Amino acid sequence: MKPNHKGRAQIFKNPVLERLTRTHIAYPISIFVAIATGLVYYGITHSFIGVIEALGLFVAGWLLFSLLEYAAHRFIFHMETDTPTKAKIQYTFHGNHHDFPKDKDRLAMPPIVSVFISSLLFFVFKLVFGNFVFGILAGLLFGYAMYLFVHYAVHAYAPPKNFLKTLWVHHSIHHYKDPNVAYGVSSPLWDYVLGTMPKRTR
């Protein structure tokens, strides 16, 4: 299907569920930045982590998110649709975005889902990383907020006339030329590392 730059897909027949699939981008970005800031602040002020330690863990969490972003986009959002169930899941999660890439209200998870996932991640990360959770999870959630910001910007605005234009070009290739490359949105780092950078053409 050729991308449609007007309108939006209908995912659910139930009007309440359908409405819950849409959100203004400012809500989830604000939620994740606030949670990330709160985690670092709480961790430092309650002596769970030091300032330098928090910085290192934050960067590690951000890097971890960039890998998760790439993996989710490549292996979940672009999963093989060889069964009706897989096709439905893929379209609900991501296929509708490729059909209607200019639908600004479907560029992020709804806030209620965002809060639930953040809470779940805290308990999982606390179990795995202990007190380091206050730095690592903060970096991961901040990375997700930056991903949302970049993803929204590349779909809603014209590319800037500076080095950031690379992000617009990279994501446009994924949408309009080859959906099997350029999976990184907030950064092309893992496309370089894992061999999914678009081939240069003359």
Side-chain angles (χ1 to χ4, degrees):
M1 176 179 175
K2 185 177 180 180
N4 190 337
H5 288 171
K6 293 183 180 180
R8 60 168 53 101
Q10 180 177 352
I11 296 177
F12 297 107
K13 293 181 179 179
N14 183 296
V16 176
L17 290 177
E18 179 69 7
R19 182 65 189 87
L20 287 175
T21 65
R22 305 196 302 268
T23 185
H24 190 282
I25 196 68
Y27 295 132
I29 289 178
S30 299
I31 289 170
F32 282 111
V33 169
I35 294 174
T37 303
L39 283 169
V40 171
Y41 178 79
Y42 188 88
I44 292 174
T45 57
H46 287 73
S47 301
F48 290 118
I49 51 176
V51 175
I52 301 300
E53 194 175 39
L55 180 60
L57 292 169
F58 187 90
V59 172
W62 196 343
L63 184 63
L64 175 60
F65 170 77
S66 69
L67 178 59
L68 292 176
E69 172 201 322
Y70 174 91
H73 194 182
R74 180 176 181 179
F75 299 112
I76 298 177
F77 295 164
H78 284 272
M79 69 172 70
E80 290 294 328
T81 55
D82 50 357
T83 68
T85 300
K86 284 185 177 181
K88 176 63 176 177
I89 292 172
Q90 193 277 337
Y91 190 81
T92 300
F93 281 2
H94 194 64
N96 71 89
H97 172 56
H98 273 263
D99 285 351
F100 297 89
K102 296 297 184 182
D103 182 1
K104 298 177 184 178
D105 291 337
R106 283 211 176 109
L107 294 177
M109 292 183 293
I112 189 171
V113 179
S114 300
V115 172
F116 172 77
I117 291 178
S118 298
S119 302
L120 181 63
L121 285 176
F122 178 82
F123 291 108
V124 172
F125 275 49
K126 184 71 168 66
L127 186 64
V128 175
F129 298 109
N131 289 338
F132 288 169
V133 65
F134 294 100
I136 291 179
L137 184 57
L140 186 142
L141 295 182
F142 184 79
Y144 181 63
M146 292 301 98
Y147 155 79
L148 292 178
F149 178 79
V150 171
H151 194 210
Y152 183 84
V154 299
H155 282 286
Y157 301 106
K161 296 180 180 179
N162 55 39
F163 70 97
L164 292 174
K165 181 179 179 180
T166 300
L167 297 176
W168 268 253
V169 174
H170 194 71
H171 198 54
S172 292
I173 290 173
H174 175 75
H175 266 278
Y176 302 111
K177 190 173 182 181
D178 186 352
N180 297 311
V181 298
Y183 294 105
V185 177
S186 61
S187 167
L189 170 63
W190 296 106
D191 285 304
Y192 278 112
V193 174
L194 299 174
T196 51
M197 280 294 291
K199 289 183 171 61
R200 292 183 176 274
T201 56
R202 300 192 178 201

